[in-house]
Amino acid sequence: MIGTSAVMRDVRDRIDRVASSAATVLLTGPSGSGKDVVARLLHQRGTRAAAPFIAVNCGAVPAELIESEIFGHEAGAFTGAARARCGRFEAADTGTLFLDEVGDMPAAMQVKLLRVLETRVVERVGGMIGVAVDVRLVAATNLDLDAAIAAGRFREDLFYRLAVVEIRMPALSERRDDIPLLIEHFAAGGVGFTRAALRRLAEMPWRGNVRELRNLVERAVALHGTETLDADTAEALTEGPRGTPWPPAIERRTRNLPPRPPVADDPGGIDLKRLLDEVEQTYIEQALSDAAGGIAESARRLGLRRTTLIEKMRRLNIVRLPVH
């Protein structure tokens, strides 16, 4: 946990307070902010440190397989289940189970997870006998769960069961004073940066948060070895060949942006929320068009996670374009 900013001191304090307890913890905050690091720290500093730490990304497991992945299955439970297999809950028994991207969990699975959290008993798919488990659960999400609950996509009772203790990870833009320390840590005695370069980097938006900063430092080490980089060279590391933003993103098409929508009863005002939604929709639709409807490629072009793009498409009622 690198950083001396006030927000990071608060995060460390909360970790220290709850690590030794058995309380379920919900980690929130933007993608790339370090939620997985906090999950491991909670395990390592707790009383279960010698037991297993098992992690599963709920957004990366297909909906039809997630129940088997987390709860396990018996032989013959479904086509291809040639032998019995324990799930992640059983594998984490006496230790910690980390459910990353829990906001992407299908609705039917949310009900089953809630039951397990209440009973501490899991049933494998196709099984008839419950298995008692002693697991400390840590969950994480980059979604706005309040909005997801309001939209009916996430169970409110499950939220309260997960958020016994909530730790919010700040975006890197909220802790700019920590950027030089993070760069020094990631560089590990390799590439250096002038003070002007550090100031320039601290002013950048860092939409990918700590993960994006780490990637930039790794790129600097690969390209420049142990050199000391000035501000212009450091800024150039954020761009690909010929000035294309890194990673590649869609070209800015200002002529295609929607007009500024006025606020009702105020001709001089701007409905900012509607404008931002329309701008976001314009870029997403353009990315889908450029990528022939491919979600993964569109997400890459937009600098988003695949699950984040899907969530935005649902919210904006964007239909996936057909692949030709």
Side-chain angles (χ1 to χ4, degrees):
M1 296 298 295
I2 307 299
T4 59
S5 61
V7 288
M8 289 308 295
R9 289 198 300 270
D10 289 343
V11 168
R12 280 197 295 270
D13 178 68
R14 182 152 286 206
I15 291 171
D16 291 340
R17 288 174 180 270
V18 304
S20 60
S21 76
T24 301
V25 178
L26 177 64
L27 305 174
T28 59
S31 177
S33 57
K35 296 186 291 295
D36 55 335
V37 175
V38 174
R40 290 184 180 277
L41 280 175
L42 288 169
H43 174 72
Q44 293 166 1
R45 296 183 181 180
T47 58
R48 301 170 182 257
F53 175 87
I54 305 296
V56 57
N57 188 319
C58 300
V61 181
E64 63 272 15
L65 298 178
I66 192 167
E67 182 178 1
S68 170
E69 183 71 20
I70 294 180
F71 299 145
H73 62 258
E74 298 292 354
F78 50 84
T79 302
R83 63 185 64 182
R85 177 179 178 275
C86 75
R88 300 300 180 98
F89 260 101
E90 289 182 69
D93 191 35
T94 72
T96 302
L97 176 62
F98 176 42
L99 295 181
D100 198 6
E101 304 297 353
V102 71
D104 294 327
M105 184 174 285
M109 187 64 188
Q110 293 178 31
V111 177
K112 295 175 181 179
L113 175 60
L114 179 63
R115 184 172 66 248
V116 171
L117 292 179
E118 291 174 343
T119 64
R120 297 293 168 173
V121 173
V122 299
E123 289 186 11
R124 295 181 180 180
V125 177
M128 300 293 291
I129 301 176
V131 179
V133 290
D134 173 19
V135 171
R136 201 270 178 86
L137 186 70
V138 179
T141 183
N142 60 4
L143 295 181
D144 181 345
L145 289 186
D146 288 333
I149 291 170
R153 296 191 299 271
F154 199 83
R155 293 183 62 95
E156 186 173 19
D157 48 1
L158 177 58
F159 169 79
Y160 288 120
R161 199 69 181 80
L162 293 174
V164 175
V165 177
E166 182 174 352
I167 299 178
R168 178 186 174 275
M169 291 301 295
L172 189 54
S173 60
E174 298 176 59
R175 44 181 296 221
R176 295 186 184 277
D177 292 346
D178 294 336
I179 289 177
L181 293 175
L182 288 164
I183 290 175
E184 181 181 2
H185 173 73
F186 294 140
V191 69
F193 295 84
T194 65
R195 290 184 180 180
L198 292 175
R199 286 195 297 270
R200 183 80 60 85
L201 291 174
E203 294 169 354
M204 295 182 61
W206 298 114
R207 288 181 291 272
N209 296 295
V210 177
R211 184 183 294 123
E212 182 184 1
L213 179 63
R214 182 185 62 202
N215 290 345
L216 178 138
V217 176
E218 290 177 356
R219 187 154 59 247
V221 172
L223 295 175
H224 298 282
T226 59
E227 298 176 24
T228 298
L229 309 185
D230 60 21
D232 291 339
T233 305
E235 185 173 3
L237 287 168
T238 67
E239 300 182 344
R242 300 181 184 177
T244 302
W246 193 304
I250 60 174
E251 177 187 357
R252 188 174 183 83
R253 295 174 172 85
T254 55
R255 65 179 180 277
N256 291 333
L257 294 182
R260 300 190 307 173
V263 177
D265 302 325
D266 185 1
I270 300 173
D271 187 339
L272 184 59
K273 183 180 184 303
R274 179 182 162 196
L275 175 61
L276 293 176
D277 283 348
E278 291 179 353
V279 170
E280 195 169 35
Q281 181 170 351
T282 297
Y283 278 107
I284 290 175
E285 289 178 344
Q286 183 63 59
L288 287 166
S289 176
D290 291 346
I295 296 295
E297 174 63 14
S298 298
R300 186 186 68 81
R301 288 169 177 263
L302 292 164
L304 299 174
R305 294 174 66 99
R306 180 183 61 83
T307 52
T308 301
L309 174 58
I310 292 172
E311 184 63 28
K312 289 180 180 292
M313 290 172 64
R314 288 174 180 165
R315 178 173 61 83
L316 298 169
N317 294 317
I318 299 175
V319 179
R320 181 176 179 179
L321 300 178
V323 178
H324 297 293

